[in-house]
């Protein structure tokens, strides 16, 4: 997927304007840019995010999986716009697929936002912070580094119920269903589907989420899952039974050995179109890392229905209060940024 780009000077100009306008305007818009978009307005950004994520993972390694899941659930319904962070009635967090998002991971991004805004003012969106924090969690867990597109604004509203419910279910989704959902987000290569499923190389889940797989009892591993889930106090199940806390290719090695936890995991090794990719990633961590980096860059620029329009929230969990103004801000050479009541 092609990514719109602009010069560092343009990025600085846009964000300098945003510094003035974000507290005034109910809606802003801008193209995305690559790494360094915030270098002029918040040079400390990436170091603040990295140190915060590193400290958090030292306390709780499971936050890496939490951040990844939140990022996927944010980007799929209507692009990577931090809409999943909004709290309250009618928000995405109240909708079925998102009721089990990790609260501590959500709070971590809000805590980082507070640090960034204290250092730089309200120049960086929750959407950008979420993307950077997710990337850093991957790297700190042993995974690949990749460029995070920056300049996303935070959404003005949550995604619709239909858009959120269209998130593919790991419990029962087939490769055909998964491929259709990914393709709708610009991830048309089956390698994107297989590589992004590799995020299951970290994290744990509970019996309700893999009941379909356990009840099949069609191989030794599913019978083991069933036995655990029938116990009085079932243990959380590692999604990667090879190296559960490392971001590596252990997940694919497990799939080759029929040790996938979700039905959708096992579908990848059973389907003739995706099985060769699974085997390639099981044999080569470098091949997986290269594709994962490419696929995350694509996901980060998933289309937003109304374009990159929104605000920079002063709290990731709520919309900014609208303020009436009687000041016109001159955006210089950049057009289309007029503040409005």
């Amino acid at each position: 997927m092609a990514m719109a780009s602009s010069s560092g000077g343009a990025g600085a100009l846009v964000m300098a304007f945003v510094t003035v306008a974000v507290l005034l305007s109910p809606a802003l818009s801008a193209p995305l840019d690559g790494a360094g978009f915030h270098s002029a307005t918040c040079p400390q950004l990436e170091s603040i995010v990295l140190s915060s994520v590193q400290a958090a993972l030292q306390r709780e390694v499971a936050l890496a999986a939490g951040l990844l899941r939140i990022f996927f659930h944010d980007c799929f319904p209507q692009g990577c716009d931090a809409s999943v962070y909004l709290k309250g009635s009618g928000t995405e967090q109240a909708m079925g697929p998102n009721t089990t998002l990790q609260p501590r991971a959500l709070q971590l991004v809000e805590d980082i936002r507070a640090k960034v805004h204290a250092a730089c003012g309200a120049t960086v969106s929750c959407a950008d912070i979420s993307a950077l924090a997710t990337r850093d969690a991957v790297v700190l867990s042993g995974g690949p580094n990749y460029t995070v597109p920056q300049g996303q604004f935070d959404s003005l509203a949550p995604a619709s119920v239909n858009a959120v419910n269209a998130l593919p279910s790991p419990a029962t989704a087939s490769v055909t269903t998964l491929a259709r959902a990914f393709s709708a987000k610009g991830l048309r290569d089956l390698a994107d589907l297989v590589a992004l499923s590799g995020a299951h190389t970290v994290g744990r889940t509970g019996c309700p989420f893999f009941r379909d797989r356990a009840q099949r009892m069609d191989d030794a591993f599913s019978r083991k899952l069933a036995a655990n889930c029938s116990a009085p106090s079932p243990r959380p199940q590692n999604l990667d039974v090879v190296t559960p806390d490392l971001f590596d290719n252990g997940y694919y090695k497990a799939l080759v050995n029929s040790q996938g936890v979700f039905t959708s995991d096992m579908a990848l090794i059973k389907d003739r179109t995706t099985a060769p990719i699974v085997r390639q990633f099981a044999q080569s961590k470098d091949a997986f890392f290269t594709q994962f980096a490419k696929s995350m860059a694509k996901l980060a620029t998933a289309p937003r229905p109304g374009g990159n329009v929104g605000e920079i929230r002063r709290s990731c969990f709520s919309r900014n209060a609208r303020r009436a103004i009687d000041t016109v801000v001159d955006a210089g050479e950049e057009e289309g940024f007029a503040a409005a009541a």
Side-chain angles (χ1 to χ4, degrees):
M1 175 183 291
M3 181 177 67
S5 63
S6 61
S7 68
L13 177 59
V14 169
M15 295 313 295
F17 169 73
V18 169
T19 303
V20 177
V22 69
L23 300 181
L24 309 175
S25 177
L28 301 168
S29 64
L32 296 185
D33 204 341
F37 182 79
H38 299 286
S39 58
T41 55
C42 192
Q44 315 98 304
L45 171 62
E46 298 211 15
S47 63
I48 293 173
V49 176
L50 177 60
S51 62
S52 299
V53 173
Q54 186 171 31
L57 292 183
Q58 288 173 347
R59 295 190 301 269
E60 184 179 3
V61 70
L63 285 169
L67 287 168
L68 275 161
R69 186 165 183 249
I70 290 165
F71 186 69
F72 290 145
H73 281 230
D74 183 42
C75 295
F76 260 80
Q78 59 178 21
C80 306
D81 60 358
S83 57
V84 78
Y85 285 87
L86 292 170
K87 290 185 175 182
S89 176
T91 65
E92 293 174 43
Q93 287 191 37
M95 299 178 192
N98 295 327
T99 56
T100 56
L101 293 177
Q102 192 181 105
R104 293 177 302 282
L106 291 163
Q107 185 61 50
L108 173 60
V109 170
E110 166 59 13
D111 291 345
I112 296 172
R113 180 213 58 77
K115 293 178 184 177
V116 169
H117 286 195
C120 306
T123 61
V124 185
S125 66
C126 297
D128 278 359
I129 292 169
S130 177
L132 288 167
T134 302
R135 188 272 312 277
D136 289 348
V138 167
V139 173
L140 291 166
S141 298
N145 201 347
Y146 55 90
T147 299
V148 175
Q150 296 173 30
Q152 294 273 23
F153 284 116
D154 299 323
S155 70
L156 301 176
S160 68
V161 173
N162 288 341
V164 173
N165 286 339
L167 281 162
S169 168
T172 58
S174 66
V175 168
T176 299
T177 299
L178 291 168
R180 187 181 302 117
F182 275 62
S183 181
K185 304 303 174 184
L187 300 160
R188 298 179 179 86
D189 190 333
L190 284 176
D192 294 320
L193 165 59
V194 178
L196 292 178
S197 296
H200 289 167
T201 190
V202 291
R204 296 168 178 80
T205 190
C207 291
F209 295 96
F210 58 88
R211 183 172 289 115
D212 178 76
R213 169 87 166 112
Q215 289 178 343
R216 290 171 183 257
M217 292 194 287
D218 54 359
D219 56 34
F221 187 70
S222 62
R223 289 190 288 273
K224 182 178 178 181
L225 293 176
N228 176 47
C229 291
S230 63
S233 300
R235 299 181 308 278
Q237 174 62 50
N238 292 322
L239 296 178
D240 174 353
V241 299
V242 180
T243 50
D245 293 327
L246 287 178
F247 196 102
D248 60 9
N249 62 336
Y251 163 79
Y252 300 104
K253 294 177 181 179
L255 293 190
V256 170
N257 291 322
S258 299
Q259 294 179 317
V261 175
F262 294 130
T263 295
S264 62
D265 292 333
M266 288 307 300
L268 297 177
I269 189 61
K270 291 181 176 180
D271 191 286
R272 63 181 180 83
T273 64
T274 51
I277 307 172
V278 171
R279 294 192 182 95
Q280 179 192 20
F281 291 168
Q283 293 169 358
S284 172
K285 183 173 72 172
D286 288 343
F288 166 46
F289 279 10
T290 298
Q291 184 60 52
F292 184 84
K294 292 178 181 177
S295 299
M296 284 295 280
K298 289 184 183 179
L299 178 61
T301 54
R304 295 174 62 163
N308 184 24
V309 176
E311 62 186 3
I312 296 178
R313 296 187 200 134
R314 295 188 293 278
S315 166
C316 293
F317 299 145
S318 61
R319 282 279 319 274
N320 293 342
R322 295 169 67 103
R323 299 182 182 183
I325 61 169
D326 57 4
T327 302
V328 176
V329 180
D330 182 3
E333 296 179 358
E334 295 288 333
E335 298 180 353
F337 283 79

